[in-house]
Each structure stands twice: as C-alpha cells, then as structure tokens.
Amino acid sequence: MKKIQMVDLKSQYEKIREQVNSGIQEVIDTTSFVKGGKVTEFQAELEKYLGVKHVIPTGNGTDALQIALMGLGLKPGDEVITPTFTFIATAEVVALLGLTPVVVDVDMDTFNMSIESVKKAITPKTKAIVPVHLFGQNANMEELLKIAKEHNLYIVEDACQSIGAEYTFSDGRKVKSGCIGNIGCTSFFPSKNLGCYGDGGAIFTNDDDLAAKMRAIANHGMVVRYHHDLIGVNSRLDSIQAAVLLAKLPHLDEYIAARQKAAAYYNKAFASCPKITTPICKDFTTHVFHQYTLKLDASVDRNALQTGLKEKGIPAMIYYPVPLHLQKAYQDPRYKKGDFPVAEKLMDCVLSLPMHTELDEEQLEYITKAVLELI
C-alpha cells in the first residue's frame, strides 16, 4: 500500500507530468515570467470554465480577498461580516484595511455561516458579507443575496476551498462557486482542489467596472504605465504557476469526482457508527470535498484518536482548533467565550481525514477500519 498522505501531489503530478513539464519549459524558453502568455491563457480558460466575465489572477488567495475589499471602496470603520469558524485570512484582510470584522456563528450541519446569525449582526455600519464556502460546499447564497439586497450590502465570496462546486437556485439556475455574489476569490495554494506549485490566487466578477478597478489595484493602482490613479498593491500570478494550472484545469472535474468518490466510501463505512457524524451536503449545492471533516461524539477522545491514527501511518488534521473570536490577535470586547456556541463546539469535535484525488480503495479501507477500531 502506498504511504497515506493528507494530500498526494506527487502521484497527481505523475499523471500530468508531460503537460506540466512542457508548459513550464515553454515559459522558460520564452523567458516571459511575469504577465506572460500562460497567465492570459489560463485567465481565459478559467473564465470559460466558471462561466464568469472576468478572472483577475493574483499572487495568492489572501491578496485576492484584500484586493476585492479595496475594490469596493470601503472606509475605515465599515463593518464586514464573516464566520468565526474559518481560516484566519478572511478576517485578516478586513483588519489590515482598517475595516471592522464582525464575526458570526455557523451551522452545525454545514460549517458555513448561519443565516440567522448574519441577520442579527447587521448594523447601520455593515457594508459587506464575506461567506466562506468551507471545506468545499457553498453557503446558503440565495438567502444571503436576499439579505444583501434588503440592506444594500456587497457579497464577497471566499471560494478558496470550493472552486468547481455548483450552486442551484430555487428557480433551477446553476452557478459556479465564487460567481454568485458581487465578487468571488479563490486560492491556488498547492493543496487546493485546483492548486499550483507555489502561491497563486484569483478574483472573479461579472461587473465590468469592478473588474477594471480591481485589475488596476492588483497592478500598483496603475492602468496606464507609470500613471497611478488608485492606491494599489503588487499581486500577480507568475507564468510558471499559470502553466501548472493550465495543465490541471482540464482535469478539475475529474479531480472533484475522485474526491466525491472517496467521500462516498468514507460515508458508507461510517454510516452505522453513532459516534461519528459524516459531512452533510445541502440540496442547493454540490460538495467538492476540499476537506473531509468528521464531527465526533463528546465521548470520543479526539487527541487519542488522532495519535492512534498517526501511529498507524494515517495523518488527520484539526481545522480549525481556535475560532476567530478566540484568537489572541482578534480579541474584541464585543465577543467572549460562549457567544458562538456552534463554532466553539466544532473546535472541540472536528477531525479531517486524508482527502485527495489519488486515494485508492486499499487506502480508504485501511483508514476507515483504523478509525472504527480506535474510536
């Protein structure tokens, strides 16, 4: 049996070695390392895949979020709502821009932001909502769009874990994750479902004016060379990373299907275990399983289980052990322990198992048997 890893990028690379290597070699041969043809080509192909008018490649997913908020012209003190159970980058960019992060609780079933919590968090200072499509399935975007319309708010989707997921509206219309709100952002960090071999990210929008503004912001606020109309940053996807992503993008749906197949195996294996709750997928969204995250019963010693799995050569991770409102850097007199009971329960009971495109049945059988023996 192959060594079990949380993410097996080497085995994935072996299957597309020729396309990746030839793409990288082409960049080297042309020496067009920054803003080269591969970036333009990838941008066009991703626009086509997502069905979105504008893709703006960036240096990483965090930059994408920051540029998106800068593009909206928000002012210091404006409030931005985001879930407390997520990776730190979402609140980080809000704070860096002098905006006020307002955190909300999440749903126990989906890990995504609670609609009721969002409604309660809105004040006259609220200007935007940043839903995080955590672990690979979309938040309840139809309800969030209704709230945004009622209160004249922007929606910036954090789709860093959900690229390729599809949202179905009540009228049957289907839209790709990150292309539903005003702006969507994603990351191409190597472990992502569509990952490069370094850092990378992108912004999506159907708004022509916003696209032009964010494209300028990502390029030092410059439209005409050496004429800076906006305060900007320097954030770009390099050509070598674009070449890698061009090799991978045609396989993205295949990668998603492989993850879904592995998740289905896990679900079936754990279905009769009362101590485990497997991921719940809502009818309005597909799940691309960036992570496969279990909820464990309070009777389970999570640390002992994680240690036991490690001893058997099985990695398992805890995403995320400390919610935003309990992080030292984001301590706020408005929030205290106990204010977000769902997130605080999740931080003590979640455990993510290996999830990637190269998991085979032998590995899955070994992992599931080990979990059931140790639990």
Side-chain angles (χ1 to χ4, degrees):
M1 184 176 68
K2 289 190 303 181
K3 181 182 177 182
I4 296 171
Q5 302 178 67
M6 285 298 290
V7 182
D8 186 355
L9 293 176
K10 190 173 192 308
S11 295
Q12 186 188 69
Y13 162 70
E14 293 295 342
K15 293 180 179 179
I16 55 171
R17 174 192 288 266
E18 186 177 335
Q19 300 99 301
V20 170
N21 289 1
S22 63
I24 292 173
Q25 190 60 54
E26 186 180 335
V27 173
I28 294 170
D29 289 343
T30 61
T31 67
S32 185
F33 299 115
V34 176
K35 295 187 177 179
K38 289 294 182 187
V39 177
T40 304
E41 188 181 347
F42 171 66
Q43 176 186 319
E45 289 299 312
L46 188 56
E47 286 169 348
K48 190 186 306 180
Y49 174 83
L50 294 171
V52 72
K53 287 179 72 174
H54 303 283
V55 167
I56 302 162
T58 61
N60 55 66
T62 306
D63 281 0
L65 286 163
Q66 179 173 328
I67 293 163
L69 292 174
M70 292 173 73
L72 295 176
L74 304 184
K75 307 298 182 186
D78 286 348
E79 293 178 353
V80 178
I81 296 174
T82 194
T84 189
F85 187 72
T86 184
F87 183 59
I88 202 69
T90 317
E92 188 173 55
V93 296
V94 175
L96 282 170
L97 293 173
L99 309 172
T100 302
V102 174
V103 297
V104 296
D105 213 345
V106 295
D107 287 329
M108 181 62 75
D109 285 352
T110 66
F111 309 108
N112 284 326
M113 60 168 34
S114 159
I115 298 301
E116 291 308 310
S117 290
V118 171
K119 289 178 179 177
K120 292 175 183 177
I122 293 171
T123 76
K125 293 183 178 181
T126 307
K127 294 295 184 289
I129 304 171
V130 183
V132 180
H133 304 312
L134 203 67
F135 299 149
Q137 72 169 315
N138 289 298
N140 190 341
M141 289 301 296
E142 193 158 10
E143 289 302 314
L144 289 172
L145 287 170
K146 289 177 186 176
I147 294 169
K149 184 177 181 180
E150 180 183 351
H151 296 277
N152 195 29
L153 307 176
Y154 295 108
I155 291 185
V156 177
E157 296 173 73
D158 182 334
C160 291
Q161 298 187 14
S162 63
I163 192 165
E166 196 167 61
Y167 188 91
T168 302
F169 284 85
S170 54
D171 63 2
R173 184 166 51 99
K174 297 180 185 294
V175 185
K176 291 287 191 184
S177 188
C179 306
I180 307 165
N182 301 94
I183 307 171
C185 304
T186 201
S187 165
F188 301 127
F189 188 76
S191 64
K192 301 298 185 186
N193 291 28
L194 179 63
C196 55
Y197 292 166
D199 274 318
I203 304 166
F204 320 136
T205 188
N206 286 305
D207 186 311
D208 296 341
D209 292 336
L210 264 178
K213 187 175 181 183
M214 292 187 294
R215 205 177 296 281
I217 289 170
N219 187 32
H220 299 286
M222 180 171 62
V223 177
V224 177
R225 192 168 178 81
Y226 299 127
H227 292 259
H228 305 272
D229 300 329
L230 301 163
I231 294 175
V233 297
N234 176 26
S235 183
R236 53 202 173 203
L237 181 70
D238 74 67
S239 300
I240 286 178
Q241 302 308 329
V244 173
L245 291 165
L246 269 169
K248 284 189 169 189
L249 182 57
H251 300 279
L252 180 55
D253 287 342
E254 168 195 331
Y255 293 160
I256 290 169
R259 288 171 177 270
Q260 291 170 336
K261 184 178 179 182
Y265 189 102
Y266 280 139
N267 288 347
K268 185 176 179 181
F270 298 137
S272 60
C273 181
K275 295 182 179 180
I276 292 175
T277 301
T278 55
I280 295 167
C281 184
K282 292 296 186 180
D283 292 340
F284 53 69
T285 180
T286 59
H287 202 317
V288 297
F289 291 99
H290 174 61
Q291 303 295 347
Y292 183 86
T293 303
L294 302 173
K295 295 192 288 281
L296 304 174
D297 186 77
S299 64
V300 177
D301 185 334
R302 183 177 61 175
N303 291 337
L305 173 59
Q306 187 180 29
T307 300
L309 290 172
K310 184 179 179 181
E311 290 171 353
K312 290 177 178 288
I314 302 168
M317 297 291 290
I318 298 169
Y319 308 107
Y320 297 95
V322 185
L324 298 185
H325 69 284
L326 298 179
Q327 294 283 358
K328 184 177 179 181
Y330 295 88
Q331 286 180 353
D332 190 306
R334 294 173 298 167
Y335 310 127
K336 63 182 184 304
K337 189 165 185 178
D339 284 350
F340 305 98
V342 176
E344 290 176 28
K345 183 173 182 180
L346 289 173
M347 75 179 188
D348 292 329
C349 76
V350 292
L351 188 70
S352 297
L353 297 180
M355 175 51 71
H356 54 80
T357 60
E358 309 306 310
L359 283 167
D360 59 40
E361 194 161 318
E362 183 182 18
Q363 292 175 312
L364 289 165
E365 182 181 12
Y366 180 76
I367 294 165
T368 53
K369 283 185 174 179
V371 171
L372 292 170
E373 287 170 5
L374 290 165
I375 208 160

